[in-house]
Amino acid sequence: MNLIYEGTNTLVKSAVSRADLILRSPFFQQQLLNNLNQKDAVKFQNIIDNMNNSASDNVQITTFWNPFKKICIIEPKNMVIGLNTAILKKSRSQILQEIIKNYSKLYINNSASHLDINEKQFLDRRIKMITQAYA
């Protein structure tokens, strides 16, 4: 999947570019598999392979400002991640973590229908944990 941001916020643009590089990085993907036990690694290897092969899919990153809403928006049908800039600090690191966290939720929910909810949550937590080291 490709991350696309067409807005004017240079901090978000930089974070989207970096997130795209991280998600495609074989080193990042290997780190994810290394943090899983053997049984889980075999199960999730297929998901990672699919992520690499789905280069034609685009995920649109948008921004909005709403100080009363404390979450970002994920629209799985439209392949959109909406970042609430009111709750994000002016830090590329935090924006990057938020993009990858929401991307992993979107991708896991769309492409891992064979996993149960606990397995999806487990994989999502692992991705968030490793992302903090890269941000």
Side-chain angles (χ1 to χ4, degrees):
M1 287 190 188
N2 299 314
L3 298 176
I4 298 173
Y5 175 69
E6 297 171 343
T8 58
N9 186 323
T10 56
L11 202 55
V12 174
K13 191 177 285 191
S14 173
V16 168
S17 177
R18 176 80 174 136
D20 202 37
L21 288 173
I22 289 172
L23 289 167
R24 295 180 186 286
S25 164
F27 186 74
F28 174 78
Q29 295 167 2
Q30 190 59 47
Q31 284 295 104
L32 177 60
L33 292 175
N34 289 344
N35 281 289
L36 300 172
N37 64 37
Q38 184 67 27
K39 178 184 162 202
D40 290 335
V42 169
K43 192 182 299 183
F44 297 131
Q45 178 66 50
N46 187 31
I47 294 170
I48 290 173
D49 290 342
N50 288 340
M51 187 167 54
N52 290 333
N53 295 332
S54 62
S56 63
D57 298 335
N58 294 325
V59 175
Q60 186 71 38
I61 308 293
T62 62
T63 56
F64 66 96
W65 192 84
N66 185 345
F68 303 110
K69 190 173 234 173
K70 299 294 182 197
I71 59 169
C72 292
I73 297 171
I74 300 174
E75 297 177 25
K77 249 185 214 175
N78 300 330
M79 300 299 280
V80 174
I81 297 173
L83 299 174
N84 185 356
T85 55
I87 63 166
L88 296 174
K89 295 178 184 168
K90 301 296 182 201
S91 149
R92 184 179 88 155
S93 173
Q94 185 189 17
I95 295 170
L96 175 65
Q97 288 178 25
E98 197 65 31
I99 290 169
I100 293 179
K101 177 179 83 172
N102 288 304
Y103 172 85
S104 69
K105 283 182 185 176
L106 177 72
Y107 185 77
I108 291 167
N109 286 333
N110 281 348
S111 66
S113 57
H114 64 282
L115 298 178
D116 66 30
I117 188 113
N118 292 332
E119 291 172 324
K120 288 179 181 181
Q121 289 173 346
F122 174 75
L123 182 58
D124 189 46
R125 281 193 305 271
R126 291 296 179 176
I127 290 173
K128 287 180 209 172
M129 180 185 76
I130 294 170
T131 300
Q132 291 175 350
Y134 282 84

